[in-house]
Structures are given as C-alpha cells and as structure tokens.
Amino acid sequence: MRGTVTRIIPTKGYAFVRGDDAISRFAHARSFLPDASAFDTAREGQAVEFDAVHDPTGKQGGARAVNLVVLPAGYAVDKL
C-alpha cells in the first residue's frame, strides 16, 4: 500500500502513516526498511510504501504499518 508520513516523533522512535485508504497507522522505527536508519531520513509529508497489519493489542484501533520503504519520488503531499 502507498501512503504518506503524517507525523514523526524522533525522540520516541515512531511515526504515523496515512495510507491511500485514509486510515492512520502507527509505525515503529524498526518497521522501516532496509533498517532503522531509514527512519532517520524520513520526513513528514514523504511518500512511503508499506504493509498494513492489524495489531489488536496496539493503539490507533490496532492499525499498524510495517515494512515501510521511503519512496525516492519525494513528497506525496504538503507537510501536514
């Protein structure tokens, strides 16, 4: 699925991603590929591809994004 990084909390090591389906998902720094260093280069408003999963133990209604790849095409939308 494609989406956009809507918020990054670098001190906590997580971000939120809104998919093309308009659902906001939690994403941990470890979910970025090829490794967590990709989290450090991600910016709000940037386009990403990811796998959407449901985690019933998590917040945000259990919606999570995993296997995130920051797209080289740049920004999907203006910074939100």
Side-chain angles (χ1 to χ4, degrees):
M1 174 179 291
R2 286 189 179 220
T4 304
V5 177
T6 56
R7 186 164 182 210
I8 297 176
I9 299 89
T11 57
K12 300 282 187 177
Y14 60 83
F16 291 93
V17 177
R18 182 179 302 132
D20 290 337
D21 58 0
I23 295 175
S24 181
R25 292 174 172 84
F26 173 86
H28 195 276
R30 292 185 306 245
S31 296
F32 282 74
L33 298 176
D35 56 42
S37 67
F39 172 80
D40 297 329
T41 63
R43 300 291 177 254
E44 292 178 359
Q46 197 157 21
V48 291
E49 285 186 342
F50 62 93
D51 295 326
V53 297
H54 181 74
D55 178 7
T57 64
K59 295 182 181 180
Q60 292 291 319
R64 293 191 65 162
V66 297
N67 302 324
L68 284 101
V69 176
V70 177
L71 297 177
Y75 292 87
V77 297
D78 291 332
K79 185 177 175 181
L80 302 174

